[in-house]
Amino acid sequence: EQAVLMSREAQTSDTALFRKDLPKSGAYSAIDIGIRVTNGSTSAVNLDILDIIKHLSLVMNGNDYRFHVKGQDMYRQHWMKNGRPMPASFDESGSAVQEVWFRMQFGRYLGDPLFGLNLDRFNNVQLQIDYDMTVWGAAAVTTFTTATFTITVIAHQFPYSSRPVFRGMMGLREFWNGTSVASGDEVQSLPSSNPILALSVSALEDNVAEATDITDI
């Protein structure tokens, strides 16, 4: 089943940490998050909507982060894992509405009966979206129109009469990021709080060819 938890709700602030408490019970296979923002009346050249999403997070019981990923990495990780990106509309023209979708998937695939999110196991489950529309400056005709950051949240849930007993859930967390100042090796210890299914590594730099920043992993 698909349950709409929020439908195109515009936020009054251009930079904020948005919080949404999820229902107290239910069995979720995934949560889809849609973000819409309106360009300034003149243009929004080179202003990537993904860059204004600082983090997408799913927090259990106040401080247990099961998802905590930047917008750029969340979009690309889904693309890499599933072979195609989530729907998006990127546009640099004046007054255009840009839109991008993200998916927090709690199982191996949508509808996985063995792995998913059982809301009954937690006192509180909260969706958080940390965003900043002013990353390139205040709202203006060449950036984004103020108060147009709009959120839609759709839950993919199992019917009440056929909720599975999950063995666990899968999450996605950024555990290290940094900016290099020279060539060399970056050595990182892995987090030990949960079993690890896979690791993703990305490097972003303007006007640099692939396989230049990262030579081997």
Side-chain angles (χ1 to χ4, degrees):
E1 299 175 343
Q2 291 185 354
V4 178
L5 306 182
M6 295 180 61
S7 180
R8 297 184 177 180
E9 294 189 18
Q11 306 302 301
T12 57
S13 176
D14 291 337
T15 176
L17 176 59
F18 167 82
R19 295 179 174 91
K20 170 71 173 178
D21 289 330
L22 299 186
K24 295 295 185 182
S25 65
Y28 285 4
S29 184
I31 295 174
D32 289 347
I33 304 162
I35 304 296
R36 292 162 62 98
V37 65
T38 303
N39 294 345
S41 58
T42 300
S43 67
V45 177
N46 293 330
L47 306 188
D48 191 340
I49 185 177
L50 294 172
D51 284 336
I52 70 178
I53 312 296
K54 296 165 67 175
H55 280 97
L56 294 161
S57 306
L58 192 72
V59 190
M60 277 62 173
N61 297 338
N63 59 6
D64 182 5
Y65 285 78
R66 300 295 178 91
F67 276 79
H68 188 65
V69 190
K70 291 183 176 68
Q72 289 278 4
D73 293 332
M74 187 82 158
Y75 189 78
R76 285 168 169 79
Q77 195 274 341
H78 185 278
W79 193 342
M80 178 183 67
K81 179 180 178 181
N82 297 281
R84 61 181 180 181
M86 288 288 286
S89 175
F90 303 116
D91 196 322
E92 295 184 343
S93 59
S95 300
V97 177
Q98 296 197 58
E99 183 170 359
V100 63
W101 283 83
F102 304 94
R103 175 167 291 172
M104 290 182 175
Q105 189 164 298
F106 310 120
R108 298 165 295 177
Y109 51 86
L110 197 61
D112 187 352
L114 297 182
F115 294 92
L117 169 59
N118 183 358
L119 293 167
D120 301 73
R121 293 186 57 239
F122 305 96
N123 292 326
N124 175 259
V125 179
Q126 190 175 78
L127 174 68
Q128 295 184 358
I129 303 173
D130 190 359
Y131 68 93
D132 184 3
M133 290 175 58
T134 66
V135 66
W136 294 286
V141 296
T142 56
T143 55
F144 298 113
T145 303
T146 188
T148 59
F149 190 90
T150 305
I151 303 170
T152 300
V153 180
I154 300 174
H156 298 268
Q157 64 185 16
F158 287 87
Y160 179 82
S161 59
S162 57
R163 292 181 183 175
V165 179
F166 296 130
R167 295 180 181 178
M169 69 167 288
M170 296 179 183
L172 181 67
R173 291 187 306 184
E174 171 192 288
F175 72 91
W176 180 84
N177 75 83
T179 302
S180 64
V181 294
S183 61
D185 295 332
E186 291 283 359
V187 180
Q188 294 297 321
S189 298
L190 302 185
S192 58
S193 56
N194 298 102
I196 296 175
L197 174 68
L199 296 171
S200 297
V201 180
S202 69
L204 296 176
E205 186 175 354
D206 290 338
N207 301 316
V208 174
E210 293 184 23
T212 300
D213 284 335
I214 298 179
T215 50
D216 67 281
I217 300 176

